[in-house]
Amino acid sequence: VISEAWTSTLASGVIVARQQQVTLDEGWWKEVFGQVVDGLVYLEALAIVHKDITERSIVFRSSAFESPKVAIADTFFARVLPGEKTIVGTPGYIPPETWETGRWHVRG
């Protein structure tokens, strides 16, 4: 989970890594997504639901793409607790029942 500046999103970082001739093999991707899963586990332990994990919300913490260090961004909008009355998030990704009831339900 990120609170500091980052160098690029997942999509743009992959382009730069390829330009730098970094080998993006299975081990590289396993490292990247292992860190993402670790971040999601951390958020879950804090009862935080991100709800919008995309290539834009996975960011590289440095430009050393040969040993990637990634984090989850946009956690400011992730602090939604079950039953909360405030609707936050990307409008196109908010479930219809949330718009109808004005409440976020963990099961959607």
Side-chain angles (χ1 to χ4, degrees), residues 78-96:
R79 241 177 234 283
V80 178
L81 303 174
E84 184 76 25
K85 287 243 181 211
T86 305
I87 299 175
V88 297
T90 307
Y93 294 100
I94 295 176

Side-chain angles (χ1 to χ4, degrees), residues 2-3 12 22 29 33 40-42 47 56 61 75 83 90 101:
I2 192 163
S3 59
S12 62
V22 173
W29 286 105
F33 286 108
L40 291 172
V41 168
Y42 175 76
R56 291 185 195 136
R61 295 176 18 208
T75 56
T90 307
T101 64

Side-chain angles (χ1 to χ4, degrees), residues 58-72:
I58 300 170
V59 296
F60 287 95
R61 295 176 18 208
S62 79
S63 56
F65 296 108
E66 65 280 352
S67 3
K69 299 291 181 229
V70 298
I72 299 170

Side-chain angles (χ1 to χ4, degrees), residues 40 42-50 75 77-81:
L40 291 172
Y42 175 76
L43 289 173
E44 181 183 24
L46 298 175
I48 297 173
V49 179
H50 192 288
T75 56
F77 293 109
R79 241 177 234 283
V80 178
L81 303 174

Side-chain angles (χ1 to χ4, degrees), residues 87 94-108:
I87 299 175
I94 295 176
E97 61 272 17
T98 300
W99 284 113
E100 292 167 6
T101 64
R103 298 177 69 94
W104 164 254
H105 303 279
V106 176
R107 294 185 185 194

